[in-house]
């Protein structure tokens, strides 16, 4: 595994919150791997009508991770 970001939707009809929590717990057990989990509120699995919020989350992550480069 590698470090990165997982963006998930609050009202995902395909992936359960338990699955997200399980993934988070499995990743946390990996040494040297940092994954940021970000939730988009009031969105579905495909982030319909939440594209702006999705873009902002991605840009925020990239800005944080490239700030020192």
């Amino acid at each position: 595994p590698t470090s990165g970001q997982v963006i998930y939707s609050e009202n995902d009809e395909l992936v359960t919150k338990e699955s997200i929590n399980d993934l988070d717990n499995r990743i946390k057990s990996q040494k040297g791997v940092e994954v940021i989990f970000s939730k988009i509120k009031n969105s579905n699995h495909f982030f319909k009508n939440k594209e702006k919020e999705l873009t902002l989350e991605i840009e925020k992550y990239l800005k944080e991770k490239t700030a020192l480069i």
Side-chain angles (χ1 to χ4, degrees):
T2 186
S3 297
Q5 180 182 35
V6 172
I7 302 174
Y8 64 97
S9 56
E10 183 177 58
N11 301 319
D12 197 314
E13 60 278 5
L14 300 178
V15 180
T16 65
K17 179 64 176 153
E18 293 78 22
S19 294
I20 297 294
N21 291 336
D22 182 50
L23 177 62
D24 188 20
N25 289 331
R26 285 187 283 142
I27 290 172
K28 285 179 181 173
S29 70
Q30 302 291 320
K31 291 184 179 181
V33 175
E34 178 190 14
V35 175
I36 307 298
F37 282 77
S38 305
K39 175 173 59 175
I40 305 292
K41 293 183 178 182
N42 301 314
S43 63
N44 67 10
H45 182 78
F46 300 102
F47 304 102
K48 184 175 181 180
N49 299 320
K50 295 293 180 175
E51 293 85 358
K52 183 175 181 178
E53 292 87 341
L54 178 61
T55 300
L56 289 173
E57 282 297 322
I58 294 168
E59 288 174 348
K60 178 180 161 187
Y61 175 80
L62 291 173
K63 189 173 186 177
E64 288 174 7
K65 294 302 175 185
T66 59
L68 298 176
I69 296 178

